[in-house]
Amino acid sequence: MNSVVPNNKSVARSQASFDLKTWGPFIALMALALLGVLINPAFLGLDNLSNMLTRSAFIGIIAIGATFVITAGGLDLSVGSMAAFIAGVMIILMNSLVEQFGPGLTTILLGIGASLLLGLCAGFINGMVTTKGKIEAFIVTLGTMGIYRSLVTYLADGGTLSLDWGVRDIYRPVYYGSLVGIPIPVLVFLLVAVVGYILLNHTRFGRYCFAIGSNEKVAEYSAIHVDRIKTMTYMLQGVCVALATIIYVPRLGSASGATGVLWELEAIAAVIIGGTVLKGGHGRIWGTVVGAIMLTMIGNILNLTDAISNYLNGTVQGIIIIVAVYLQRASWRKSAP
Amino acid sequence: MNSVVPNNKSVARSQASFDLKTWGPFIALMALALLGVLINPAFLGLDNLSNMLTRSAFIGIIAIGATFVITAGGLDLSVGSMAAFIAGVMIILMNSLVEQFGPGLTTILLGIGASLLLGLCAGFINGMVTTKGKIEAFIVTLGTMGIYRSLVTYLADGGTLSLDWGVRDIYRPVYYGSLVGIPIPVLVFLLVAVVGYILLNHTRFGRYCFAIGSNEKVAEYSAIHVDRIKTMTYMLQGVCVALATIIYVPRLGSASGATGVLWELEAIAAVIIGGTVLKGGHGRIWGTVVGAIMLTMIGNILNLTDAISNYLNGTVQGIIIIVAVYLQRASWRKSAP
Amino acid sequence: MSTQDQPLLSARRICRSFGPNQVLFDIDLDLVPGEVHALLGENGAGKSTLVKILSGYLSATSGDIHLDGEARHYRGSGEAEADGVVMIHQELALAEQLSAEENIFLGRELRRGLFLDRKAMRERCREALAELETRVDPRARVKDLSTSDQQMVEIAKAITRDVRVLIMDEPTATLTEHEVEVLFALIARLRERGVAILYISHKLREIERIADRVTVLRDGRLIDSGPMAGRSKEALARLMVGREITDMYPERSALASDAEVVLEARNMVVPGAVKQASFTLRRGEVLGFGGVVGAGRTALIEALLGLRPRSAGEVLRNGQPVALRHLRDAVRQRIAYLTEDRKGKGLVLNMGLRPNLTLLNLRAYCRPLIDRRREEQAFHEAIERFDIRLRTEARTAAELSGGNQQKLLLAKVMTIDPEIVIINEPTRGIDVGTKHQIYHFVRELTEAGCSVILISSEMSELIGLSHRVAVMCAGVLTGVLEGEQINEHEIMQYASGIKGVGVDEQRRA
Amino acid sequence: AQDYTIGVSIPAATHGWTGGVNFHAEQAKERLEALHPEIAITISTASDPGGQANDLEDLVSQRNIDALVVLPFESGPLTDPVRRVKESGVFVTVVDRGLEQEGIEDLYVAGNNHEMGRVSGEYIRDQLDGEGDIVVLRGIPTVIDEERVQGFQEAIEGSDINILDMQHANWNRDDGFEVMQDFLARFERIDAVWAQDDDIALGVIEAVRQANREDELFIVGGAGMKDIIARVMEGDELIPVDVLYPPAMIATAMDLTVQHFVSNGPVVGEYILGSPLITQENAEQYYFPDSPF
Ligand SMILES: Nc1ncnc2c1ncn2[C@@H]1O[C@H](COP(=O)(O)OP(=O)(O)OP(=O)(O)O)[C@@H](O)[C@H]1O
Ligand SMILES: Nc1ncnc2c1ncn2[C@@H]1O[C@H](COP(=O)(O)OP(=O)(O)OP(=O)(O)O)[C@@H](O)[C@H]1O
Ligand SMILES: [Mg+2]
Ligand SMILES: [Mg+2]
């Protein structure tokens, strides 16, 4: 009688799977952490954990911006070289401001301001060319990726731009300092994540991103300024890149053509691992945060062991990423066959 | 009664725009060639043109495979490192076969066969993990990208794998030789393009790719084996990569971790420049061919002049890509407002 | 050929649940060759769910399906199709980026050797489209076709297969009267050939014309099933809704003779679609727009609202020229627009119901963050006001039944509290009961001083509701009919360009 | 009248050292063109071996070069393309990385990666009195990296120096920083760090500073970056020495190639540059504050 295979669990699924969709990435993260501990107990060291989180802040902050862009159906390949470019300009600017203002707060604040402005403009350009020029985001940002990368190489004369040592000493705490025991980059990351979460899930802008990513036509017929919102996602991405750069520069105090290479791929990977859909219409900030931490963690775990030939790092990394995502997706699927 | 004739123009429109969509890439290519001639008449030299076309064959052949994958709504980031890996295995194999068979045709044919088989398998793996594992293609192929890249580094012990010089001398004509005045790689490229065109536009497989990329659900309802077709696109991509590798190896006679870096980006760019839609559902082989040639041409043109600092190559390249695509898309838009 | 009492396809005790909610309860259904079986029911009654089960798109929670007396367990629509059970979807199931021809043959392309036999397919496709008397170009991409043309492609897709059982889920919702006639002729031919036909529609007039047998569902239960003979439209409506429906069209609200003009369009030109159209709309008025599909009504209105580019024309709101460049400008002018394409342009199908409802006027629910409670409240009001039936906890708009989607869309449009409401085919896929409610709703609007523009291909709707009817033909606004002039014959004459201003002159120009 | 065209093909400035190569090539071009009006120099940069092979073809077919100065991305893949250039009658100078076949180049100007590793290894061995725990940060997995590591390992062979672990830091500051952070978290005691490259060393310095373990260890970089040399000059105990591997070798090669055309006799042969140890005493002569590297 009951021969026909039914789908009758679907609503139960809808709730259970919703939970699992939310918690899936966290579960995968825990599994990964367990692996880390098994490989080397030093993994759980406070220093190591704090190092790892601090590191993940760059990619994490950039990936939060990317979550918006991707949710709204776009793509930004230029973030890595944009970061390098912003870092370069910021260093040049601060180095020259030192002469006027000395290595003080003014110099740093002006540098930070310029960085944010630059990020905003860079994002604006990406957004306008994509929307007004009606060119695929892939092409536009591939183009600007090359442009920024070569501009920073040009600015650095092929070498490295180094921040004035005086400024560096004052600026240093932005990366190395901590507040109530938490490293500042981690705080910034958390702050950006919270703001991003609110923006994506509790504001009009976020809602519009979802709508545009799902169906641009419907968005247009819902009186949404599609081009404007899309451009804004790129601008937000730019600001996120600028923020990441602001906490990146005090770390090593330098920028070169090699800065931020492949960050775009890492950022997009973090976003997708987190459960955001690459084709748009569905985005999750906490997923992205976990994705970013997961990527950093894989690198960290590999550095904690010499069991594997160095040459095979990439293999292990690749396998872990695929397995982690599989586990995570599987946990959704189990409840929804 | 039936005096209403409203719809007759829409047909005419659809044809006009279709033509421009087909010819748009060619127009952009012509514009680019004109730029080349203006910068340096040597651009038109027979040697130069033949060099350029020969070069574009690698990316071109890979991009033709990518056209299928992308049309069917997938993505393959692993092609570059897959090429490196295949090249590596092929070289190791041929070097060891030399001892048995000597540096003859047998060795080379066996190498070629192994290469094709490997490509097929690699594509199969990508396809199966994506479809059966239900993991995003982006993640899977990002993972395999790392895996292949590190495997080739491992095989080469961090260094370079070099083809036996005896074999190299025999194998050399595959890249440097020509038939009826046309370099062999160009012939292969053309052949792959023609086969690809027929496959995409004149067989069920191609049509299913369009359907799946356009709407997977509808394809499934139409009794299409979605997973199978998708896996087949990855396998086709693998074969294309193997073919590209087969004509690549005699050129440089070696493989290392640095082989094929960023080819995936170039291949995807060629596909998108050619007018294939990144989100799937629409693909054009000739567009891809033109896209691949265009990318090579930009590099070639940059070598024609000293006017621009080498550091700014990327800037010029980026601008040219964006402008070229803009021109091409603009030509569609004019006729279809 | 099987005999009359031998059912071709029969369903026994079909149950179906979505999660904890059961939407079908022990449904029995028999389809007999050469018979048109009509399936009726309110929006959300479970009709689409039932037919999807019959044709293999969904599986039943329990129950059996027999074909030719043999039990069948379809695991996919492909298997059902191989048995000759073919369905025309309510929710269009076409690959948008493929051409009409490619869609029609999707999954069973004709081949010559390894290659597609494009010529043969084009030939067959032309034949099928010709049989349906439509002008659809086989090479046109489905994305670029109007909804009615898409529906015709869907029908063509079905009839080019070897059908034994043809299931049609509201095929006429988006069709013009002419196309409906063509379809009926086709149905008649298929019936002659001994095809069993299951036909779902909310248009009782159609049921009356073609059905041999009817089955009525209400809330997922079988209410009645039997021969059509001896049943009236009214009786069917009562069975469906469970109550009597009288005065389908409410009395028109009285229109003050000095009612001021709230909206005026002058000399609107849309390239390729509309030539020099002007009209006015007064306070409290229902202005109907008639014409065959493709006459340019949608183009005219959408150009007015800034949704499409126009090459000339002026829009005045309360006598003041206004520049509407984006739909947002129109919303600011308190003009609401209900699109005719609810899936393509109306609702974000993979988004929740509440976000869909508030998307148009999200501002009103922000302070400054989105206030979920207010959204929830608005949603409950909308459910009440527009009678949206939620029998399951639908997470996304895609899970609503077709008619309920339409109601949600109407509710969405009304969130801006408009003064001018432009509704394009508002009752598409809506059951009689709700239609009745919507008509009364239109009247309430005009009572309250709002003005309504009603674009409709349903003649009776235009006639029943409008104070004036503007008729278009081939992009030309041929005339505005008033009072006694508003009748079927007159509208047809204007719609086909026989009567009315300047059709020929303008076309020649 | 420009009688000679010299093509220079080098890797693009993707990290510090190649950046230095680019800089010195540009400088040499300006200097030589000013000095010898009859000579024109064209520089092209590539970001992978295939791209460099393209550049070589273009230099021949578009520019009709008379001489080629090439710093191969990798030896293996570029052997054949360079041979083809040679076969078209061009004077070939190979810089830094030797080709896999003998006798193609007319002139070979090279650093010595093996020796660079050896010098570093010997210094660490001597400094630690032949016993201690060290970590190694390697470059991008390539032949160069492999040769350096081999040289290094040969130098410490037989001593009681224990390499705790080696990881790739890809000649990149950020990677150097992160890998070192992890080493520091993992190992209680590290006596010395071989960073192989000054870019990596800069990252390592910051990581060590962060962990406040400056007193425990010292770092040996390589190449001769001005920032590092400045520290060596100042007598920084964290970075007591550097091992030279000068990007300026490209300029030397260009000079020699030009000499071949302007001087009377042919200039051929091998010019191997050593990898001297830069200490506080001799640092001054390797310090070029105007170089970007
Ligand atoms: N995938 C689904 N998940 C959850 N509920 C669903 C799903 N599909 C349909 N439903 C629910 O099942 C009920 C029956 O829907 P169905 O589409 O069969 O109605 P219908 O009779 O076709 O209505 P209409 O006349 O509006 O098309 C509705 O309440 C609908 O919300
Ligand atoms: N963007 C456009 N460019 C060119 N022609 C168009 C465009 N949009 C619509 N048309 C054409 O204009 C005509 C009018 O189409 P429209 O959809 O406005 O008809 P309609 O009368 O509103 O139909 P319906 O009854 O479905 O609302 C059609 O022939 C259509 O092909
Ligand atoms: Mg329905
Ligand atoms: Mg219309």
Side-chain angles (χ1 to χ4, degrees), chain B residues 31-55:
Chain B
L32 206 57
L34 201 70
L35 183 73
V37 179
L38 288 179
I39 287 178
N40 190 337
F43 177 81
L44 274 190
L46 209 63
D47 267 5
N48 190 49
L49 287 181
S50 125
N51 279 344
M52 212 174 52
L53 283 176
T54 312
R55 256 174 237 171

Side-chain angles (χ1 to χ4, degrees), chain C residues 18 23 43-49 90 170 202 392 399 401-403:
Chain C
F18 290 108
V23 297
N43 294 132
K47 305 179 294 295
S48 297
T49 308
Q90 175 180 26
E170 296 191 37
H202 290 293
T392 63
E399 289 171 11
S401 80

Side-chain angles (χ1 to χ4, degrees), chain B residues 219-237:
Chain B
E220 210 180 300
Y221 285 164
S222 303
I224 295 171
H225 295 280
V226 174
D227 285 359
R228 193 182 300 167
I229 299 284
K230 282 180 107 172
T231 306
M232 278 166 73
T233 62
Y234 288 99
M235 286 163 75
L236 189 66
Q237 170 77 83

Side-chain angles (χ1 to χ4, degrees), chain D residues 61 67 93 102 140 151 240 254 267 273 275:
Chain D
S61 76
T93 304
E102 303 268 309
I140 296 171
M254 287 163 73
V267 181
L273 309 172
S275 276

Side-chain angles (χ1 to χ4, degrees), chain D residues 64-79:
Chain D
N64 261 318
I65 50 169
D66 302 292
L68 171 72
V69 178
V70 58
L71 197 163
F73 224 99
E74 287 184 351
S75 314
L78 283 151
T79 300

